[in-house]
Amino acid sequence: MNIMLFHSTYGLRPAVHAAADRLRAAGHEVWTPDLFEGRTFDDVEEGMAFKDELGKDELLKRAILAAAPYSERGLVYAGFSLGAATAQTLALGDDKARGLLLLHGTSDIAESATVDELPVQLHVAEPDPFETDDWLSAWYLQMQRAGADVEVYRYAGAGHLYTDPDLDDYDAQAAEATWRTALGFLETL
């Protein structure tokens, strides 16, 4: 499978490279574009401030330019938190998308969005301050209405970005369960 893996608000950190290596070891081709052009952050507030300074349109433009050379291959879009939101936006706009793997995040869905049974898998903490229960319920219904085939996995007690071992959110058990399930999902595409 060809996977475009987008980083979180923290930037292209070691955890993203480790995730890409894990996916490559399972036989996938993976690209990890650096949408922040080398900037990384140790603090979510700093990362959010940089993202806001960069602007949503510029971030999306960078993501589209990163994916464009590979989209004809039929990409699985994937990402962490902010990167998941970016991956979702690209996947819903790419009629050749093979799947969508969301780790720790979602995004708004345009009323006009339609896909043809796009396989979608979401992994998120429970509770998650950025992905509230009400938001996730509405998101799930909107994704189904758009035509996606959605699976949601919640991890009780885990922090928001629980797959990153360098952050306080890290939860080894939830991270391993996520990767086992995600790798199984990718095998079905």
Side-chain angles (χ1 to χ4, degrees):
M1 201 54 48
N2 298 300
I3 302 171
M4 185 65 53
L5 181 63
F6 294 105
H7 61 75
S8 75
T9 300
Y10 288 94
L12 189 57
R13 293 164 39 95
V16 180
H17 292 296
D21 289 344
R22 184 185 290 238
L23 294 167
R24 288 182 188 111
H28 304 290
E29 189 161 357
V30 184
W31 296 273
T32 56
D34 186 351
L35 303 182
F36 286 1
E37 297 178 332
R39 298 283 307 267
T40 60
F41 303 94
D42 295 322
D43 169 291
V44 71
E45 286 81 16
E46 289 176 8
M48 293 293 277
F50 180 78
K51 174 200 64 108
D52 292 343
E53 180 182 311
L54 192 61
K56 188 176 183 176
D57 291 343
E58 179 62 22
L59 187 70
L60 192 55
K61 178 180 142 193
R62 290 178 182 189
I64 291 168
L65 289 172
Y70 311 103
S71 65
E72 285 296 315
R73 299 180 186 196
L75 290 171
V76 172
Y77 291 93
F80 298 94
S81 194
L82 169 68
T86 302
Q88 177 185 304
T89 301
L90 268 61
L92 292 179
D94 181 352
D95 61 0
K96 290 182 175 51
R98 300 279 306 274
L100 177 58
L101 177 60
L102 303 172
L103 303 163
H104 323 294
T106 61
S107 183
D108 295 329
I109 302 166
E111 287 291 324
S112 60
T114 60
V115 293
D116 187 18
E117 297 181 15
L118 179 71
V120 177
Q121 193 173 85
L122 168 64
H123 297 268
V124 65
E126 181 178 25
D128 187 308
F130 301 104
E131 303 290 327
T132 65
D133 291 343
D134 289 346
W135 168 264
L136 287 174
S137 294
W139 174 86
Y140 179 82
L141 293 172
Q142 288 176 302
M143 284 297 274
Q144 282 196 316
R145 191 169 31 253
D149 181 13
V150 185
E151 298 177 349
V152 177
Y153 294 87
R154 305 289 307 269
Y155 300 88
H160 172 67
L161 206 59
Y162 64 82
T163 59
D164 188 331
D166 295 326
L167 298 176
D168 290 340
D169 286 349
Y170 183 61
D171 183 311
Q173 187 174 351
E176 283 309 307
T178 294
W179 286 115
R180 255 192 324 277
T181 305
L183 290 169
F185 169 71
L186 293 169
E187 289 301 314
T188 68
L189 305 179

